[in-house]
Amino acid sequence: MSAAPPLPGDIHFIGSYPDPAVPLDPPLPEIAFVGRSNVGKSRLLNALTGRRDLARVSATPGKTQLLNVFRLPGFYLVDLPGYGWARAGKKDRAAFRRLLEGYLTTRDRIAGVVWLLDIRHPPSADDLDMQELLARTRRPCLAVLTKGDKLPPMRRDREHMARAAELGLAADDLLVTSSAKSQGISDLGQSILAAVATAA
Ligand code: GDP
C-alpha cells in the first residue's frame, strides 16, 4: 500500500462556477490555487492529493474560465484558472481578471492562496499583477516555486534566492517544490492543513 498523500481523505468535485461569489454549502475554509498557465498547477494538485487526474476537469475546454471547486475533509480546494496564457485575447483577460478579483475581494472564508511560480523564470508582468492583488486584498499567501527538479542543486539554490529577492520575500517564505520528484510536496500539504486549522 502506498503512503497517504499530503492532503489525505476523500475528495469530491463540487462544481465549476462562473460567479466568484458563489455560495458553498456548508461554508468551510477555502484554499485557492493560482499561477500562470503551464506553471505546473495541475501536476502539483495531483501530487498533493495523490490523484492522477484531479485537475483534469479544470483543463477541459470551457472550464478554464471558471472556479473549479473540490471538497476535501474540512475545507474546499478552489482551482482558479491559469493566467497569462500567450494567446489570450483582451476579452479573455478581462473575464479572467473579473473572476480572480471577484474571488479575492468578495469571499470571507479564504484560509490561504497557494501562489505558484516557475523557479526558472523571473516573475512576469502577470505574476507581479497577481502579487499586487494578493497584497491589496490582504489574503494569506503561500508562495511556492514549481519544477525544482528542472535545475541542478546549486543552480536551484541560486534561482531560489533570485526569485525571493525579486518578490521581496525571505527565501524561507518561498517553498521550492517538484511534483516530478515529490520534493516539498508534503511540506506544502502541512502548510495548507495548518492554514485550514487556523481558519476553521
Ligand atoms: P498547469 O497549466 O499549471 O496546470 O501546468 P501542468 O501541471 O499541466 O504542467 C505543465 C507542464 O510542466 C507539463 O508538461 C508538466 O508535466 C510539467 N511539469 C509540471 N510540474 C513539473 C515538475 O515538478 N517537474 C517537471 N520536470 N515538470 C513538471
Side-chain angles (χ1 to χ4, degrees), residues 60-73:
T60 44
K63 299 226 163 169
T64 51
Q65 288 297 322
L66 304 170
L67 302 180
N68 292 296
V69 181
F70 301 85
R71 184 169 172 182
L72 281 79

Side-chain angles (χ1 to χ4, degrees), residues 36-44 146-150 177-181:
R36 280 188 94 178
S37 56
N38 216 38
V39 73
K41 180 156 58 72
S42 308
R43 207 160 158 184
L44 186 80
T146 60
K147 308 190 186 181
D149 63 287
K150 293 245 188 196
T177 63
S178 159
S179 303
K181 293 270 159 71

Side-chain angles (χ1 to χ4, degrees), residues 7-17 24-26 28 49 51 53-55 57-58 67-79:
L7 297 179
D10 283 345
I11 302 171
H12 300 285
F13 176 60
I14 303 292
S16 298
Y17 305 100
L24 297 174
D25 185 32
L28 291 171
T49 57
R51 301 297 173 106
D53 58 355
L54 180 83
V57 58
S58 313
L67 302 180
N68 292 296
V69 181
F70 301 85
R71 184 169 172 182
L72 281 79
F75 71 101
Y76 292 110
L77 189 163
V78 179
D79 183 11

Side-chain angles (χ1 to χ4, degrees), residues 77-124:
L77 189 163
V78 179
D79 183 11
L80 291 159
Y83 54 80
W85 64 104
R87 293 195 350 266
K90 248 195 183 152
K91 232 174 101 192
D92 282 340
R93 283 177 169 269
F96 171 77
R97 184 80 195 179
R98 264 198 309 280
L99 185 73
L100 185 69
E101 199 151 346
Y103 182 80
L104 290 175
T105 52
T106 59
R107 301 194 74 87
D108 53 11
R109 296 300 303 266
I110 298 177
V113 179
V114 180
W115 179 37
L116 307 178
L117 298 132
D118 188 319
I119 192 168
R120 299 168 299 168
H121 309 302
S124 66

